[in-house]
Amino acid sequence: MSEKHLTYADSGVDITKEEKTVKTLIEKLSYVRKGIGAPLTGIGHYAGLLDFGEYALALTTDGVGSKVLIANEMQRWNTVGIDCIAMNVNDLLAIGAEPVAFVDYLALEKHEEGFAAQIGEGLVKGAEISRMSIVGGETATLPEIIKGFDLAGTCLGIVRKDEIVEGEKVRVGDVIVGVPSTGVHSNGYTLVRKIIEESKYSYHDPCPYDNSKMIGDELLTPTRIYIEILDVLKACEVHGLAHITGSGLLKLRRVTKLGFDFYDPLEPQDIFKFLQKEGGVEDLEMYRTFNMGMGFLVILPEKDAAKAAEITGGKIVGKIVESGIRVKDLVIE
């Protein structure tokens, strides 16, 4: 274990300050459209919902973040398109919406041969998994602003109003099914990069736990797209859904004010154990920053838990309690 105890804030991302900035921004967004297209929810859930008759249109927007810097280091960009789509689609799924269309935004410092083809390769793969169309986008060359590139996008989904999942049905005693992630996904990479930069390793070194792949390639493993959640919604009585991204389990406050007791969490993948050891990161900080092996949660009555676990490849990891967020003996909040 490293003598250092690195935190997300040490690496340059202070979650508390970020939340304050977001709150300040939202306070200024006062105009609200009336009639068709009027918002059905306030800002702050996984997706924005708009009135569209018997349906709601759902919108999300997100990007790949500083994971793109590792793609640049490895000179491999064919997976970050999947990440871009995944971060948006998974947020749509977390309110019960089906993704239907996507637009991307690619900002570049300069144009290089073969780069755009690799970006497109990832985007089309993500769209295929999500069963949706990419209907457009924008490319901007901004050498005075962008160093390297940035990739983001916006996703449109649709859901019947009576099938929206916002978490209001979550009750004490509901079961939590944890669905595995594919690793770090696309969050916490500012801390990830800080850990690697201050360690004895480089991105081109073999993984200590798997010499068949380099650390950089392991960190470029694309974010899982949880499209099978749509099958869970058809087969089960779902009370709540959560996409575990930046700030880890703290995002669960979007779903319910009730508590979460993860008495049998999924085992974090080896990449998390490696990062924690090399950065001397404390357990609490890990669960407040990363998904720690659980990329998505389904909250539902016990009678449907086994079916949800079978569909998603997950397992029962906990239950809903009166208050707090706890992982075994670790109090997250």
Side-chain angles (χ1 to χ4, degrees):
M1 178 71 75
S2 168
E3 293 182 1
K4 296 180 180 179
H5 295 286
L6 290 177
T7 67
Y8 208 8
D10 290 336
S11 66
V13 180
D14 189 316
I15 294 172
T16 302
K17 290 182 178 179
E18 186 175 275
E19 289 176 348
K20 187 175 181 179
T21 298
V22 172
K23 183 180 179 181
T24 301
L25 176 61
I26 291 174
E27 288 173 351
K28 295 296 182 182
L29 306 179
S30 58
Y31 178 77
V32 177
R33 178 184 170 90
K34 307 296 183 183
I36 195 73
L40 295 173
T41 58
I43 298 173
H45 213 292
Y46 282 103
L49 295 172
L50 307 177
D51 187 0
F52 203 69
E54 64 180 305
Y55 289 90
L57 298 181
L59 284 171
T60 60
T61 189
D62 206 345
V64 182
S66 64
K67 188 173 184 176
V68 301
L69 297 175
I70 299 177
N72 285 340
E73 175 66 28
M74 302 302 294
Q75 292 288 288
R76 184 163 73 81
W77 303 283
N78 62 341
T79 60
V80 292
I82 300 174
D83 291 306
C84 186
I85 285 183
M87 297 305 294
N88 283 279
V89 166
N90 290 341
D91 277 358
L92 285 183
L93 295 170
I95 53 92
E98 178 178 1
V100 294
F102 187 85
V103 293
D104 64 272
Y105 174 71
L106 176 62
L108 297 163
E109 179 183 8
K110 60 183 178 179
H111 294 267
E112 296 184 17
E113 188 72 26
F115 169 78
Q118 288 197 37
I119 294 294
E121 181 183 335
L123 287 172
V124 73
K125 180 64 175 178
E128 289 173 355
I129 296 170
S130 306
R131 304 197 291 266
M132 68 174 182
S133 304
I134 297 176
V135 296
E138 177 70 16
T139 300
T141 307
L142 304 168
E144 294 178 317
I145 299 175
I146 298 294
K147 300 303 177 186
F149 77 101
D150 188 29
L151 179 63
T154 298
C155 197
L156 173 69
I158 190 167
V159 57
R160 292 183 62 93
K161 286 180 181 176
D162 59 355
E163 295 176 355
I164 295 170
V165 181
E166 290 189 85
E168 74 280 356
K169 294 181 180 178
V170 174
R171 298 289 182 267
V172 171
D174 279 350
V175 171
I176 307 168
V177 172
V179 189
S181 67
T182 50
V184 186
H185 281 183
S186 299
N187 297 102
Y189 274 79
T190 302
L191 177 54
V192 168
R193 291 185 299 105
K194 182 78 168 177
I195 291 170
I196 300 300
E197 288 165 7
E198 295 195 4
S199 75
K200 64 183 179 182
Y201 295 97
S202 79
Y203 297 115
H204 299 278
D205 287 331
C207 289
Y209 52 86
D210 184 353
N211 290 333
S212 69
K213 51 189 172 183
M214 291 181 284
I215 292 171
D217 289 328
E218 175 80 331
L219 291 171
L220 286 178
T221 301
T223 305
R224 178 175 172 178
I225 296 173
Y226 295 95
I227 197 66
E228 61 270 38
I229 292 300
L230 296 177
D231 298 325
V232 175
L233 289 166
K234 292 176 183 177
C236 305
E237 179 188 337
V238 176
H239 290 175
L241 297 163
H243 178 205
I244 309 303
T245 59
S247 70
L249 296 179
L250 295 178
K251 283 280 174 68
L252 295 177
R253 285 287 161 256
R254 290 182 172 186
V255 179
T256 179
K257 298 300 182 185
L258 293 172
F260 295 75
D261 179 10
F262 294 97
Y263 54 78
D264 188 23
L266 295 175
E267 181 73 13
Q269 290 92 342
D270 288 337
I271 185 63
F272 293 111
K273 299 172 186 177
F274 165 70
L275 291 169
Q276 182 170 19
K277 179 181 178 182
E278 289 304 313
V281 185
E282 296 180 348
D283 288 345
L284 179 60
E285 187 70 12
M286 292 295 291
Y287 278 97
R288 287 168 56 95
T289 305
F290 301 112
N291 67 64
M292 295 300 283
M294 294 191 298
F296 210 94
L297 302 178
V298 183
I299 305 164
L300 67 180
E302 186 173 4
K303 65 180 178 65
D304 285 338
K307 182 176 289 292
E310 179 183 0
I311 293 171
T312 60
K315 73 166 190 174
I316 295 173
V317 295
K319 62 182 179 180
I320 299 297
V321 293
E322 289 288 350
S323 62
I325 300 174
R326 181 184 295 271
V327 180
K328 292 187 175 179
D329 295 328
L330 184 66
V331 177
I332 308 299
E333 186 183 65

